[in-house]
Amino acid sequence: MKKIVTLGEILLRLSAKVGVRLEQSDHLLVNYGGAEANVSASLAHLGMDVYFVSKVPNNAVGRGVERHLKANGVRTDYLIKNGDRLGTYYIEPGVGGRGTQVTYDRKHSSFSQMKLDEIDFDAIFEGASLFHVTGITPALSTSLKEITTYSLRKAKEMGILTSLDFNYRSKLWSQEDAAATLKPLLPYVDVCSCGELDALHILGIPEAARDMNQSEKLDYYYKSIQAQYPNITYFCSTFREVLSASTNTLQGNFYMEGELHQSKIFHIDHIVDRVGGGDAFAAGILYGLLTDMSPEQVVSFATAASALKHTVYGDVNPFSKEEITAFAEQKSGEVNR
């Protein structure tokens, strides 16, 4: 197993029942989730040795986080227990043309107040093959901007493959603030998860020609970003068509060595829970790279992993390599006997 390190916030997730407005709810479903934690759990289910770096309060809720991570095979050796509260987010599931709504309550969380001197990255990165973080982390506080920058630089110094998922959240910061923070990080990134809107509105890449199709535009944006940051070896993203809250199509994109590779289009006809689908895709890409899959296999595996995640409740993608591979190859809805 290869050692993987992730850094990020894990949150208490409280979900209304389908068809019930959050403000009308008299009880909520309890779970835990967060971008980097979700990637950690997915990779652990795929057999990787994953360490999650974070900070949670030293109370019953913090212990619930630790139990959740361990139940999903994630190591908690670097989980700091201190501070006053765990960040929370609320989900009101969408139905039909009404999309899912997310409400954050994460200010002043233990993680947002984490300081660089609390973390020994030399010890944490010892023997690691990959370090993954998202743009959500530096959006949470000034100290986390410092930690994110330092950790990516340190990982590069130690020869570790680095991964950054832009994961832009308009409820956390503006496009201008995101650009000012993320651009300086890109010289330390090997694997970049970003799409057309990130290229346009955060990185300021000139708009592609309007007569290009969707794939040609993405290829143009990746080539343009790589021209500015030649250290970035891999890019990835998905094309999603939202037909309704419960019916989407999904196609994966993976760019390397000047060529855009795409998966088949997956039709997801009954979405149980969309949250965490992007993290499942990111984990699939990273797993494919670490196990030396071909580009076509990487994008097929990652997109199948994401499509599967939509069929289960919660943030975590709990499927094994064998299950994801079989799903990528089978006809939709077949009984697996």
Side-chain angles (χ1 to χ4, degrees):
M1 294 190 296
K2 293 187 177 181
K3 178 180 178 180
I4 295 170
V5 177
T6 65
L7 165 71
E9 180 167 36
I10 186 166
L11 305 161
L12 179 67
R13 167 181 157 161
L14 300 172
S15 308
K17 293 179 67 176
V18 175
V20 180
R21 299 297 310 273
L22 181 61
E23 62 203 55
Q24 298 173 319
S25 297
D26 55 11
H27 65 278
L28 300 169
L29 298 172
V30 178
N31 210 301
Y32 297 93
E36 294 91 345
N38 299 339
V39 171
S40 299
S42 292
L43 287 167
H45 280 284
L46 293 172
M48 294 293 177
D49 189 24
V50 189
Y51 293 76
F52 181 57
V53 181
S54 193
K55 185 176 182 179
V56 299
N58 188 19
N59 57 25
V61 181
R63 291 192 292 275
V65 168
E66 188 171 19
R67 178 197 58 79
H68 167 82
L69 292 168
K70 288 181 175 179
N72 284 285
V74 178
R75 294 181 179 265
T76 59
D77 305 49
Y78 309 125
L79 188 66
I80 302 167
K81 298 173 186 175
N82 207 340
D84 298 323
R85 69 183 301 258
L86 187 73
T88 302
Y89 78 106
Y90 300 82
I91 289 184
E92 180 181 296
V95 177
R98 177 170 61 86
T100 295
Q101 298 295 318
V102 174
T103 301
Y104 290 121
D105 176 19
R106 63 198 303 175
K107 288 185 178 180
H108 313 297
S109 68
S110 293
F111 180 73
S112 70
Q113 297 175 350
M114 188 163 69
K115 306 298 181 184
L116 182 57
D117 60 12
E118 294 182 271
I119 317 167
D120 183 357
F121 279 110
D122 287 290
I124 290 171
F125 285 149
E126 184 65 34
S129 298
L130 171 74
F131 174 56
H132 175 74
V133 69
T134 81
I136 293 173
T137 293
L140 298 177
S141 69
T142 300
S143 64
L144 286 170
K145 290 179 184 178
E146 179 187 13
I147 290 170
T148 304
T149 302
Y150 180 89
S151 60
L152 282 168
R153 285 178 176 172
K154 173 61 71 173
K156 286 301 295 178
E157 288 173 7
M158 297 179 68
I160 298 168
L161 188 72
T162 56
S163 168
L164 173 68
D165 185 340
F166 272 36
N167 237 333
Y168 176 71
R169 297 289 184 266
S170 61
K171 292 184 178 181
L172 297 179
W173 57 355
S174 68
Q175 293 172 352
E176 292 75 18
D177 288 340
T181 299
L182 296 179
K183 283 181 179 180
L185 299 180
L186 292 182
Y188 309 103
V189 172
D190 298 308
V191 185
C192 183
S193 178
C194 66
E196 178 178 347
L197 295 180
D198 299 311
L200 283 169
H201 302 300
I202 296 178
L203 298 182
I205 303 297
E207 187 174 1
R210 296 191 177 185
D211 60 352
M212 288 182 174
N213 63 36
Q214 191 177 31
S215 299
E216 290 170 335
K217 288 181 179 180
L218 187 64
D219 183 75
Y220 156 76
Y221 288 120
Y222 285 162
K223 282 181 167 61
S224 299
I225 299 170
Q226 196 171 52
Q228 294 185 29
Y229 304 97
N231 54 284
I232 303 178
T233 306
Y234 311 101
F235 293 90
C236 59
S237 63
T238 57
F239 291 152
R240 180 188 294 273
E241 182 180 8
V242 179
L243 303 175
S244 72
S246 58
T247 305
N248 291 186
T249 67
L250 193 71
Q251 183 177 33
N253 306 292
F254 177 61
Y255 179 93
M256 65 173 287
E257 296 181 348
E259 186 175 354
L260 182 66
H261 304 268
Q262 297 180 297
S263 74
K264 69 180 183 182
I265 297 174
F266 286 80
H267 294 266
I268 311 170
D269 296 320
H270 181 72
I271 296 174
V272 174
D273 194 337
R274 173 175 161 175
V275 178
D279 303 321
F281 177 77
I285 293 288
L286 297 175
Y287 180 81
L289 289 174
L290 291 173
T291 56
D292 299 319
M293 291 183 183
S294 70
E296 293 78 14
Q297 290 173 323
V298 169
V299 71
S300 175
F301 182 84
T303 314
S306 180
L308 264 181
K309 163 60 201 71
H310 289 67
T311 68
V312 293
Y313 169 74
D315 280 40
V316 171
N317 189 31
F319 296 97
S320 67
K321 174 192 174 183
E322 291 75 19
E323 290 171 319
I324 294 170
T325 302
F327 179 79
E329 296 173 352
Q330 75 178 22
K331 296 179 181 178
S332 179
E334 274 188 339
V335 177
N336 190 3
R337 299 184 187 275

